Amino acid sequence: MQMMEQPLFGRRVKELRRARGLSQAALAGDELSTGYLSRLESGARQPTERVIAYVAERLGVDRRVFEAPSSGTALARALSIASSTDGDEAVEGLLSALGTPDGGDPLLRWRALWLVARRWRKLGNTAEELACLEELDRLADSLGLPELRCRARSSLARCLRSTGETGRAIDVAGRAVRLAREAGLALPDTAAALMALVSAEAEEGRLPEARAHVDELVGLVGGCGGTTLRAEALWSAATVRFRQGHQEAARDHIERAIQGLDSRADVTLWARLRLAAASLYLQSRPPLTGPAAARLKEAASALGYVGTPLLNQELLTLTAHLAFEEARFADARAHLDELRRGEMWLTHRDRLRAGVLDGRLLIVEGYEKEGRRHLEALGEEARRAYGVDLSAGEQTRRVPGAAGNAGT
């Protein structure tokens, strides 16, 4: 077995020890002296096979985490390139290297898959992202590092929720939260796990559980003013409160998230928060079209620079909803037609909402029978997926600006 050469071995031991909050004496135990461990961590001593096995056992990891990758492998080269660029060609290089015979090094493979999954998420390619995250979850278990296991499960749960697999998402996110608590992981990992759990519970309609977990989340990150972590926690709280029917509290939380985040910290999140606020305003009763239009205008300005296929489709869908609420039905139809011209990137729930809008438009356009049949089919699909009638509110409310028409 080729072991990590010094000083890389020592750096890795020190990194893992500190991540677990262990002193050198605690890690050394009865078998090593702290002086010897200190020299190992500094790279002054070469570890023996027995020492490597002992240290791995004390840290609770697989000894493969100390294996030294050859800098000449195709995967190592692809990783070096991908780490310094954000282009599609970097992802293609990683995918190619992952399929080579030397693409099996567990730590290198983890890093590569993590970068690829992040890229697929940014592009909105949920199917490819899910495949990467499934392998990351299995790989993290084999490596035995709680940080990697928690991150893989949090990301996997979020992705599963977006595809409509909310039951499995809750199970995976719940395991991530338990792992974070038991291992005493850092705040970002614990918060990410809680956010994944909250979003899945809210999607499934388990609102009391989601409320309890989101209150815990907001309490954990309350002192992180101006950070992306706090903004995302407030966004999660806004979602839960809105689904509980507390519209004013939801608007307060999303606006606090918006006001507390500088675009320079994360321009993509800055834009996503505005899309979320616009969605919340349009779903309010009555719809708040003025604030929604203002937030969509702000989001559009940022997406001109950082837009992805998914975010651009979210903007287009919300613009169609806004047009409908303002009784600009021809504009709403044009936006929906544009949405359908390319590959669909929206989440399952957002696709259902776009379908509901289509049904309402059909009724406005004089195709009442077709529109109602379309809405009934969507209602059944929503009941199967989420256990709730997603379109019920839409089916009973009057069509704005269409006096005399039956509500959708």
Side-chain angles (χ1 to χ4, degrees), residues 114-135:
W114 185 256
L115 289 175
V116 171
R118 287 177 60 185
R119 184 61 177 170
W120 288 137
R121 180 185 181 187
K122 183 176 180 180
L123 293 174
N125 193 328
T126 306
E128 294 289 357
E129 181 193 5
L130 183 59
C132 282
L133 291 173
E134 295 275 17
E135 183 174 351

Side-chain angles (χ1 to χ4, degrees), residues 9-28 37-38 41-42 55 58-59 61 66 145-147 151 183-187 189:
F9 173 82
R11 289 174 186 167
R12 187 65 177 138
V13 170
K14 186 175 183 179
E15 173 187 309
L16 293 170
R17 175 177 63 77
R18 286 182 169 178
R20 287 157 176 73
L22 299 175
S23 65
Q24 287 186 333
L27 178 57
L37 180 59
S38 178
E41 290 189 351
S42 69
V55 171
R58 298 284 292 177
L59 289 169
V61 300
F66 303 125
L145 294 171
E147 294 86 354
R151 291 167 196 172
L185 299 186
L187 176 60
D189 285 321

Side-chain angles (χ1 to χ4, degrees), residues 208-237:
E209 296 99 319
R211 177 63 181 269
H213 286 129
V214 86
D215 287 347
E216 177 186 355
L217 172 64
V218 172
L220 280 175
V221 304
C224 305
T227 65
T228 59
L229 195 59
R230 182 174 181 273
E232 290 184 300
L234 288 170
W235 179 3
S236 297

Side-chain angles (χ1 to χ4, degrees), residues 207-357:
L207 296 180
E209 296 99 319
R211 177 63 181 269
H213 286 129
V214 86
D215 287 347
E216 177 186 355
L217 172 64
V218 172
L220 280 175
V221 304
C224 305
T227 65
T228 59
L229 195 59
R230 182 174 181 273
E232 290 184 300
L234 288 170
W235 179 3
S236 297
T239 300
V240 173
R241 279 157 176 74
F242 188 83
R243 293 188 181 177
Q244 286 184 310
H246 307 311
Q247 294 187 16
E248 186 174 347
R251 292 194 292 269
D252 174 68
H253 278 78
I254 198 67
E255 288 298 332
R256 284 168 57 198
I258 288 173
Q259 299 303 325
L261 182 71
D262 191 304
S263 63
R264 291 170 293 185
D266 188 334
V267 67
T268 301
L269 178 58
W270 187 92
R272 291 175 64 218
L273 286 171
R274 281 153 176 79
L275 292 175
S279 178
L280 186 152
Y281 289 137
L282 289 170
Q283 292 179 71
S284 296
R285 294 295 170 256
L288 304 175
T289 55
R295 290 307 185 196
L296 287 177
K297 183 177 180 180
E298 293 169 349
S301 67
L303 293 183
Y305 299 98
V306 297
T308 65
L310 172 61
L311 292 177
N312 288 331
Q313 285 191 357
E314 289 179 358
L315 174 63
L316 186 59
T317 305
L318 289 169
T319 303
H321 281 287
L322 175 63
F324 184 90
E325 297 298 347
E326 293 179 336
R328 295 184 287 109
F329 303 125
D331 290 342
R333 174 58 70 192
H335 293 317
L336 279 186
D337 288 344
E338 182 181 350
L339 181 67
R340 294 189 177 116
R341 287 192 190 112
E343 185 175 356
M344 187 67 72
W345 299 96
L346 295 176
T347 65
H348 186 255
R349 181 177 284 268
D350 284 342
R351 293 185 193 192
L352 286 175
R353 287 194 178 123
V356 169
L357 179 58

